[in-house]
Amino acid sequence: MDYLDHLRRLSIDAEPRPGAPENADSPSVLDDKERALLRLAALVAVSASAASIRKDVDAAVSAGAGTAEIIDVLDVVMPHVGRPRVVKAAPRFAVALGIDLDLLADGA
């Protein structure tokens, strides 16, 4: 299925074709790392739980994303989701990445 047909099916909330495996109609030009980083951005947008963020941080790392790329997601989404959501998500990202939260204190 080409991307235009896929977009049309999404726009009308069409059911997958009978017998087709889930996501079989989802042609993707994104690699696993890009998909994982996009999922993290979506999790920030919906104020996801720490467990959800941890799961997708692990997936991003497994797909080859580095710590800097994962943290950069927070900067990229901030103008779109707002600072409060990013502030809420940042410690969850830190824990998922194994970063000691005490190291984040500014010492003031």
Side-chain angles (χ1 to χ4, degrees):
M1 179 180 312
D2 68 22
Y3 71 93
L4 290 175
D5 190 43
H6 184 66
L7 182 58
R8 181 193 64 77
R9 292 177 66 78
L10 289 171
S11 297
I12 62 172
D13 195 18
E15 292 292 323
R17 291 173 299 190
E22 190 167 331
N23 293 328
D25 291 339
S26 300
S28 182
V29 296
L30 301 175
D31 63 28
D32 290 342
K33 181 173 86 170
E34 292 166 331
R35 292 171 72 89
L37 294 172
L38 285 169
R39 282 193 311 270
L40 285 170
L43 291 175
V44 174
V46 299
S47 294
S49 69
S52 294
I53 290 173
R54 185 176 318 110
K55 178 178 126 329
D56 279 301
V57 164
D58 289 346
V61 169
S62 294
T67 302
E69 291 173 299
I70 292 169
I71 293 171
D72 195 39
V73 167
L74 296 170
D75 288 326
V76 170
V77 300
M78 192 179 318
H80 307 287
V81 302
R83 182 174 294 278
R85 288 191 191 262
V86 170
V87 169
K88 183 176 180 180
R92 295 172 181 181
F93 272 58
V95 169
L97 289 165
I99 297 169
D100 185 355
L101 292 176
D102 290 337
L103 295 177
L104 299 178
D106 63 8

